[in-house]
Amino acid sequence: MSAKVLVVSGSARMESNVHGVARLAADAVRAAGAELLEHHLHQLQLPVMEPGSAAQAALPAVRELRGAAAWADGFILITPEYHGNMSGCLKNWFDYLYPELAGKFAGVIAVTGGGGGDMSITAVKNTFAWCHGFTLPYHAAARGPDFEDGRLINPVVRERVQRIAHDVVRYAPLLRQAFDAAKASGAGVESGVAGAR
Ligand SMILES: Cc1cc2nc3c(=O)[nH]c(=O)nc-3n(C[C@H](O)[C@H](O)[C@H](O)COP(=O)(O)O)c2cc1C
């Protein structure tokens, strides 16, 4: 069973350490034999989400965002830490989604100026859970000094990012298969979270 993985680079900045981590994660996803899509949020140029807006739903960027999320079994979500939280553009990405993330699996990585990344990682994991998704029980955080010219050079953090990619490729299709089967069983208690509203 080949996995489909979407790597989301959650920085609005062009010259960005987050994008450096996204490149490393994408290489590891490919090495693990999965199909890959990458979304760099500084390129998607999404407007701030307006609930129920038909005009926004018709935008090419929004269609692409939702289509890729629906396609993916698993995600690698990389956020810069902003004021102890995920970036606004990554939160905005989440706000366009919900059913596309339910029953899916994600690995989470933070890039910080110097902090430990726990706050932004927790924020991303919580938001993914609120969309009925599941996350890896470990994560990775890279600080400013771990980079050289936008490339992640700290070997310990590099290994952790690659480990996350392999686990997302390994577990995401299994979870999706189980979730889809549960959903097909209806909305009774036996369907668990798949049948819950
Ligand atoms: C608005 C803002 C808030 C930030 N807040 C934090 C923070 O709370 N903790 C931290 O360690 N770094 C913080 N930083 C530093 C960024 O996390 C760091 O520069 C990171 O590399 C940004 O990702 P990028 O290189 O992909 O743009 C902040 C930066 C900005 C612009």
Side-chain angles (χ1 to χ4, degrees), residues 11 13 16-18 80-84 111-115:
S11 177
R13 201 159 74 97
S16 152
N17 288 343
V18 168
E81 182 154 282
Y82 283 173
H83 304 318
V111 174
T112 79

Side-chain angles (χ1 to χ4, degrees), residues 2-8 29 34-39 64-77 93 97-106 128 168 171-177 179-180:
S2 149
K4 297 172 186 151
V5 176
L6 176 62
V7 172
V8 180
V29 165
E35 293 177 57
L36 171 74
L37 277 179
E38 292 177 71
H39 275 177
E64 187 183 340
L65 151 91
R66 288 184 168 144
W71 166 86
D73 307 321
F75 300 81
I76 298 179
L77 304 174
W93 176 87
L97 300 168
Y98 163 44
E100 297 87 351
L101 304 182
K104 305 287 184 69
F105 192 61
F128 202 76
V168 168
Y171 296 116
L174 303 174
L175 184 61
R176 185 173 195 169
Q177 197 179 44
F179 189 87
D180 286 349

Side-chain angles (χ1 to χ4, degrees), residues 143-158:
R143 299 174 170 88
D146 296 328
F147 293 88
E148 207 172 79
D149 298 329
R151 184 171 175 273
L152 180 60
I153 55 163
N154 182 323
V156 176
V157 186
R158 282 180 67 86

Side-chain angles (χ1 to χ4, degrees), residues 6-23 25 38-46 65 76-82 85-94 107-112 120 124:
L6 176 62
V7 172
V8 180
S9 184
S11 177
R13 201 159 74 97
M14 196 93 79
E15 300 297 322
S16 152
N17 288 343
V18 168
H19 300 328
V21 174
R23 282 193 294 275
E38 292 177 71
H39 275 177
H40 294 261
L41 296 186
H42 74 290
Q43 290 170 340
L44 266 188
Q45 304 277 328
L46 293 165
L65 151 91
I76 298 179
L77 304 174
I78 308 156
T79 187
E81 182 154 282
Y82 283 173
N85 214 308
M86 76 178 91
S87 63
C89 69
L90 185 59
K91 180 58 168 60
N92 193 42
W93 176 87
F94 269 114
V108 178
I109 303 166
V111 174
T112 79
S120 50
V124 174

